[in-house]
Amino acid sequence: QVQLVESGGGLVQPGGSLRLSCATSTDISKINLMAWYRQAPGKQRELVAAITSGGTTNYADSVKGRFTISNDNAKKSVNLQMNSLKPEDTAVYYCYLHRPGLGYWGQGTQVTVSS
């Protein structure tokens, strides 16, 4: 079984930065796709950023230019650098791992952007 553990969430003021990390138990170089999703209270879970095993990235329009997703094969982790944070970025952020026929979710980490 694949396990995903998120870390790095917390409280930050608008304009600040946070770096989220998702640690896995498997060789991520052989995983098709890893992604970060988020879910705010009363809203559906939405895709924030994704990265393929080949290094191709994709971002939600709302975070493009502010967030950067990256992988670290040696550490078996996927990271999300979040800059210029806005109150509307407040949500629980979830790591997701996908390979053919299977998907795995982390338990989430809270990000709160407030002054």
Side-chain angles (χ1 to χ4, degrees):
Q1 180 69 281
V2 174
Q3 295 214 341
L4 306 173
V5 181
E6 303 100 330
S7 63
L11 174 65
V12 65
Q13 294 189 1
S17 298
L18 285 174
R19 184 176 179 85
L20 306 183
S21 181
C22 175
T24 81
S25 60
T26 193
D27 181 359
I28 65 171
S29 68
K30 299 182 179 180
I31 298 300
N32 288 355
L33 177 144
M34 295 191 71
W36 287 94
Y37 285 73
R38 68 187 181 188
Q39 187 167 21
K43 296 184 178 180
Q44 292 187 331
R45 190 170 298 184
E46 64 175 348
L47 175 67
V48 177
I51 186 167
T52 70
S53 59
T56 300
T57 58
N58 188 44
Y59 298 92
D61 288 342
S62 60
V63 307
K64 199 173 187 67
R66 299 188 297 121
F67 292 9
T68 303
I69 189 170
S70 62
N71 52 35
D72 187 333
N73 293 338
K75 296 182 179 180
K76 297 181 179 180
S77 67
V78 172
N79 304 305
L80 184 69
Q81 178 66 46
M82 305 185 294
N83 298 325
S84 302
L85 284 161
K86 304 175 180 179
E88 49 263 48
D89 295 318
T90 296
V92 177
Y93 284 70
Y94 297 90
C95 183
Y96 175 75
L97 180 154
H98 180 78
R99 57 190 181 190
L102 295 171
Y104 303 90
W105 292 94
Q107 292 188 336
T109 184
Q110 177 72 47
V111 171
T112 302
V113 185
S114 177
S115 60

